[in-house]
Each structure stands twice: as C-alpha cells, then as structure tokens.
Amino acid sequence: MNRTRFVVSATFCLVLRAVPGQQDPPAPGAAAIREKPPENARVTELVTAMQKAEAAARTVWLAMATEQHGPEGLAVTTRGTLRVLRGEHPAVHTVVEYEFGNGLRGRMESARTEAGVLVLEDNPAQGETLTHIDPATATDLEWAGEVLEREAVPGLQDARSQAPLGSAMLADLARVFDLQPLPRRERDGQAGTWLGGSLRSGLQPETDPEVPLGDRVEVFVREPDQALLEVAVWQGPLVIQRIVVTKIEIDRPMTAELFAIDGKGLRQRSLREQPAAWEQVQKLLEEAETRAAAAPGDGPKVRPSRRK
C-alpha cells in the first residue's frame, strides 16, 4: 500500500525496476498496517467470497487502467494487462504502458515461466532492454519480497496476480480505511457492492510513506463474480488515485504462446551481466536474510538457493 506504488503496482507484477521517480523504501509502519484486520462484517464476507473464487480459477486475463495525481500535481496514467496460468506449468505475463503529465512515457512487458523471468523494457533513461532473471534468482527475490513485505521487486508476483479478483487489495484497503457499505448498488448498470470510508484513526499520510495520500476511498465489487472493478482515493473533493478494471475473464483457454515475449531483435542480457542491477539485487537479498535471521520462529533464515 506504499503511496508511490499504490496505483502502479496494482497494474503489473513482475518488474525489474520501478517506474522512474516511483521508488521509496518500505516504512517501519508497513507490518502494523497489514496486521490490522478488517472490522466490518461485509468486508470480511466479500474478501472470503473473492478468495474462494480466486482459488478455483485456473486462468485469469484482465486489463486495467490507472490514474494518479502526485503531490506536486504531476499526473501519471497507466494501462496494462495481466495473464495468469495455474496448474502444472504456471506462468504470469504482464504489460504496462505508463505516461507522465509532462510527456515522459515508457513500457514494460514481463513473463515469468519455468525458465525464469524475462523483462522487455523501454524507458527514457535507458531505451529498450531485454533482461533475463534465472529461475533460482527469481525464487530468491520472491522470497525476499515476502520477508521484506515489498510489493515490486524482480521476480516477485504482486497481490493482483496471486489474488486476481482483488481480494488482497480489498483487504489492504480495509486495514487503512474504515470501509462501510454505501447506498449505491450498481456501477454502469452492473449490480454489486460499493464500500467507502475515511482513513483510520492514527494513520498519517504526511509522515508515513506506507499510507496512501488521501483521506477517503470508495471501492466497487461486482456481483456475481466478486471482482473488484474500481478503487478511487479521494483527497477532499478531488480523486487523486483511481484504478479501473476494464476487462476480466476467468478460465479462458491459454496457450504457452501467450507467455512469450518478442524481443524485437534485442540481445538478451542476464541480470548478472548488469553490475548496478545485480548489486542492488544482492543488497536486497542480504537485507532479507538479515531480517529473517532476526525473526522469531523456525522459518527459513537464508534465501532458497542457499538452503541444503
């Protein structure tokens, strides 16, 4: 729920770098926010129903659009797609195109399969690059993301790919905002549940980066498929963040070709061939091992590739 990732991380899940200007370290308050359970019975009922439907889905195909207005008025818009295949050969494919209000734009496409993670990126700073993350490193990074409670690190699947109907997002919002049912019962002619509420007491967006900038949120969950289709974060009379699911299909047949990336003739480079990026990865893994070693319990203390 980090404010700088709130919109972008909701759209894509396997990224090598965050969108330029969108990267902050996690705040100490993150765990406390996540551990606070939702209090409203209707929210709990919806999250449970969404999780049940998500567990039964074998494939998911969705498209999303987002818009965010930063504290200095700079707008960021994204459009993206997410494909998830479960079963014997699981795979995830994402595409996200982003544009800032000043004209800066870029594109990222990624695929995670049994061969690891492949990322095709085009951004103003580096141009087009094609990077491969080997399976062992991808698994290490996924573990590190879980230990450090980070939503967007190389190889880490975000909540939307793991919970494609939006159950994890709704649960996170309920920990930050006091969600209550609203009188409206439809959106664009589709029946469902509107929830809304103000920021929970004691949370300060101005001082805690884990709290999204905004003082109120409204959410729509469609019936009967229990899909979260819209999230709007308000600051006073203005919507400063909006996420809209424009398309969602469950159990649509998928083939391996849908998870292939056309590298456009670019030379594929291993993450290990990029000193700056590889150093960043090693620091993140070491940070995760340090935290895991200090954590109580019998959980793994080192990255998966170092276990016997």
Side-chain angles (χ1 to χ4, degrees), residues 186-210:
E186 67 173 24
R187 173 183 176 273
D188 296 336
Q190 296 180 313
T193 299
W194 278 98
L195 301 166
S198 300
L199 196 66
R200 289 187 179 275
S201 176
L203 299 181
Q204 301 294 329
E206 295 80 6
T207 58
D208 189 347
E210 287 297 316

Side-chain angles (χ1 to χ4, degrees), residues 295-301:
D298 299 325
K301 304 301 183 182

Side-chain angles (χ1 to χ4, degrees), residues 31-75:
I33 291 175
R34 289 189 177 94
E35 290 171 1
K36 188 170 184 176
E39 298 174 357
N40 183 273
R42 180 56 177 154
V43 174
T44 302
E45 178 185 347
L46 282 171
V47 170
T48 300
M50 295 164 77
Q51 290 174 336
K52 183 177 179 180
E54 287 165 343
R58 306 312 300 162
T59 70
V60 179
W61 189 324
L62 64 82
M64 301 177 70
T66 74
E67 183 175 354
Q68 178 177 14
H69 298 274
E72 298 180 358
L74 182 64

